[in-house]
Amino acid sequence: MVSTSKIKSIDFYRKIPRDLTEASLSGAGLSILAALAMVFLFGMELSDYLSTTTSTSVVVDRSRDGDYLRIDFNLSFPALSCEFASVDVSDVLGTHRFNLTKTVRKYPIDPRLQRIGLEEFHAGSVPTIKSHGDEETGEDIFEHLGEGAAELDKKTFDVYSQQFNVLVVNFYAPWCPWSNKLKPAWEKAAKIIAERYNPEMDGRILLAKVDCTVNMDLCRSHHIQGYPSIRIFRKGNDVRGDEHGQHDHESYYGDRDTESLVAFMVELVPPAVVDGKFQLEDKSSTNGTANAALKRPAPKAGGCRIEGFVRVKKVPGELMISAHSGAHSFDAANMNMTHYVGFFSFGRKTSWRSVHWANDMLPELDTNVDRLTGNIFTSEHENITHDHYLQVVKTEVITLHRKQSERIVEQYDYTAHSNMIQATSVPVVKFHYELSPMQVLVKETSKSFSHFITNLCAIIGGVFTVKFLS
């Protein structure tokens, strides 16, 4: 049998000699110091347990938000009319989408970038012009030139716009091929209308024309940027606003052959007044409903604010803003693509609460801003194209909430490099974007409870050991 003495030799909790248990002044001091050290170390360990740490790593992007990326933008162009402003998207896979309107809104703005009115410009699509003039029949198409449309300048325009109930003006440029195609048909239509509604005796309608290469100020005051532009002015309805020239009239977007022009003009003619009574005319050959679709409100200002979003594939591509039309020409030498970026961002919109919460938890993320937002890019002179090259990186934040459940905040950051070049054709604004195949992963972690208990026991045991050894 094992002796009792051998069993007692393995006792880890032996009795302390009586002389070591006697109280002393030095022992009391050490006890107080040990207690304070224990409390201090316990507080430090508790604070460390309750706090979290973050680790940053770069991993392959395995996003769960699909193969498409959303781009939100708000861009203001003080010298680009909403009438021809087009938002186009393309990418390296061959995708080309032109004049996006479903998720894009346009608002006229003045040179101070202030929006004019509450309604967006041209909510619907513009009808496609199928006929750009009369077909050549072998006859002298210039036979009747000079007998139809009246040539206007600034002075005569103001006089005629107040003299005739309806003044329809063709703003053209001699160098423009579309203007030259329209010219014979416009002159013939003007002659037919003049014969039917004598300008000197009737006074209800007049077809006229303005050469924008000669009357540049007149065309600029009516925000003419594409040629030819056919505008409809009604007596008493052309409202002039401030010094920048805000006008309330309409634009014609229908076919440009003589027959179509005459049919449309006849529909515009108001009823004649004889002895104070309206005289009804037979217009059964015209289609009032169809004609209504051929005219839209003309731009009230020469600038445009374009805002909205587009969805693009996650491959290198570009978003382009330009003046575009399949039936108009543009004078590149006089086009100014100066623009202000209200915001330009990638990815799904995150609520401000989530962003604020993430920034409070992870202060280093508060430096993330859209690099282009709030900047204005000014063309030193006309005919300048602006290129913005954006390199996009996704940042994913995985953090722990109070209930120890993971909460994810996703955001896209990008670097931007901008350049201005002399355009060889119509100037544009391009946003080239390229997404990185890698993403930044920021993960928040906390210490386990078992680790906290282990450290706590070590502190208590260590303090008592030092005390007794002392």
Side-chain angles (χ1 to χ4, degrees):
M1 294 180 64
V2 181
S3 64
T4 304
S5 61
K6 290 183 177 181
I7 296 177
K8 290 182 178 181
S9 65
I10 62 174
D11 181 12
F12 293 155
Y13 303 98
R14 300 180 183 187
K15 291 182 178 180
I16 301 173
R18 186 175 297 275
D19 58 339
L20 296 178
T21 61
E22 295 180 1
S24 65
L25 185 60
S26 61
L30 289 174
S31 297
I32 293 174
L33 292 177
L36 292 176
M38 187 184 303
V39 172
F40 175 75
L41 293 175
F42 174 76
M44 294 288 291
E45 185 63 28
L46 179 62
S47 174
D48 187 54
Y49 169 70
L50 296 177
S51 63
T52 58
T53 59
T54 59
S55 61
T56 303
S57 59
V58 179
V59 299
V60 176
D61 186 4
R62 295 187 177 93
S63 303
R64 295 173 292 179
D65 51 358
D67 297 329
Y68 289 86
L69 178 66
R70 173 169 169 155
I71 303 178
D72 289 87
F73 54 88
N74 180 298
L75 308 170
S76 297
F77 294 82
L80 177 64
S81 173
C82 288
E83 185 176 13
F84 301 111
S86 174
V87 179
D88 309 326
V89 172
S90 61
D91 59 42
V92 295
L93 297 182
T95 301
H96 296 279
R97 291 182 289 165
F98 299 99
N99 196 22
L100 302 179
T101 57
K102 187 175 181 180
T103 58
V104 176
R105 300 177 300 277
K106 304 172 187 176
Y107 299 95
I109 59 174
D110 60 24
R112 296 185 295 269
L113 305 183
Q114 299 299 314
R115 204 168 85 178
I116 299 175
L118 300 177
E119 296 182 358
E120 63 179 291
F121 181 81
H122 287 176
S125 59
V126 175
T128 301
I129 300 176
K130 298 179 181 179
S131 175
H132 300 279
D134 291 339
E135 297 182 359
E136 296 186 11
T137 59
E139 63 176 323
D140 184 5
I141 59 176
F142 299 102
E143 179 182 355
H144 303 290
L145 296 187
E147 300 179 7
E151 187 77 41
L152 303 183
D153 55 20
K154 179 64 172 66
K155 181 178 180 180
T156 54
F157 178 88
D158 292 336
V159 173
Y160 286 178
S161 62
Q162 298 301 319
Q163 179 178 348
F164 292 91
N165 291 332
V166 177
L167 177 64
V168 188
V169 182
N170 170 25
F171 293 90
Y172 71 96
W175 53 262
C176 168
W178 300 113
S179 296
N180 292 330
K181 286 186 177 182
L182 170 63
K183 190 174 183 178
W186 187 256
E187 295 294 339
K188 292 179 183 178
K191 183 177 181 181
I192 294 174
I193 293 298
E195 292 175 351
R196 188 176 301 184
Y197 307 97
N198 190 304
E200 297 181 2
M201 303 296 296
D202 193 295
R204 284 183 288 171
I205 187 171
L206 177 69
L207 271 64
K209 57 186 177 182
V210 173
D211 185 350
C212 288
T213 61
V214 177
N215 303 281
M216 297 180 63
D217 292 338
L218 176 61
C219 294
R220 189 178 297 112
S221 68
H222 290 284
H223 319 301
I224 304 298
Q225 295 183 4
Y227 308 104
S229 289
I230 301 176
R231 299 291 171 83
I232 305 165
F233 301 88
R234 288 181 170 84
K235 183 179 180 180
N237 290 339
D238 184 30
V239 180
R240 297 177 183 271
D242 56 22
E243 68 276 9
H244 303 294
Q246 300 175 14
H247 301 270
D248 187 12
H249 48 269
E250 298 167 310
S251 295
Y252 172 75
Y253 295 105
D255 290 336
R256 298 172 180 171
D257 58 275
T258 302
E259 183 179 353
S260 299
L261 290 171
V262 171
F264 179 79
M265 302 305 166
V266 169
E267 186 66 25
L268 292 178
V269 178
V273 178
V274 179
D275 297 332
K277 298 181 180 180
F278 290 104
Q279 304 295 314
L280 299 180
E281 300 180 52
D282 182 14
K283 297 184 180 181
S284 57
S285 60
T286 63
N287 190 335
T289 303
N291 284 349
L294 302 180
K295 60 180 185 292
R296 300 287 174 83
K300 296 183 179 180
C304 187
R305 177 177 300 163
I306 306 173
E307 60 183 42
F309 70 92
V310 296
R311 288 174 57 84
V312 298
K313 295 180 180 179
K314 290 184 176 179
V315 296
E318 68 179 25
L319 184 149
M320 183 172 68
I321 311 294
S322 64
H324 176 77
S325 173
H328 297 81
S329 297
F330 303 97
D331 185 4
N334 290 319
M335 296 195 67
N336 190 314
M337 298 302 289
T338 295
H339 56 286
Y340 170 80
V341 182
F343 59 80
F344 196 96
S345 61
F346 294 85
R348 294 174 297 180
K349 285 189 173 181
T350 305
S351 66
W352 68 270
R353 290 184 179 180
S354 297
V355 174
H356 181 69
W357 171 82
N359 289 336
D360 285 344
M361 297 293 293
L362 306 170
E364 61 269 21
L365 291 181
D366 197 31
T367 58
N368 176 54
V369 295
D370 298 331
R371 298 296 185 268
L372 296 178
T373 297
N375 292 323
I376 185 168
F377 299 89
T378 305
S379 298
E380 297 178 355
H381 50 83
E382 284 71 15
N383 200 20
I384 292 294
T385 285
H386 294 261
D387 280 325
H388 304 288
Y389 181 69
L390 315 178
Q391 292 179 302
V392 187
V393 179
K394 181 180 180 181
T395 300
E396 186 174 285
V397 181
I398 301 178
T399 184
L400 299 175
H401 200 242
R402 292 180 180 178
K403 296 181 179 180
Q404 301 298 308
S405 59
E406 289 190 350
R407 184 173 180 179
I408 298 178
V409 176
E410 296 179 348
Q411 60 187 21
Y412 287 84
D413 196 6
Y414 62 87
T415 60
H417 303 277
S418 303
N419 187 35
M420 293 186 298
I421 59 175
Q422 188 73 33
T424 57
S425 56
V426 177
V428 301
V429 172
K430 294 181 180 180
F431 296 88
H432 306 271
Y433 56 87
E434 183 173 351
L435 282 78
S436 172
M438 311 299 288
Q439 74 170 37
V440 178
L441 180 63
V442 181
K443 192 169 185 178
E444 185 183 33
T445 58
S446 62
K447 290 185 176 180
S448 63
F449 183 72
S450 60
H451 188 273
F452 170 69
I453 292 297
T454 301
N455 285 357
L456 188 61
C457 293
I459 291 172
I460 296 174
V463 170
F464 273 102
T465 300
V466 172
K467 174 181 178 297
F468 285 122
L469 290 177
S470 302

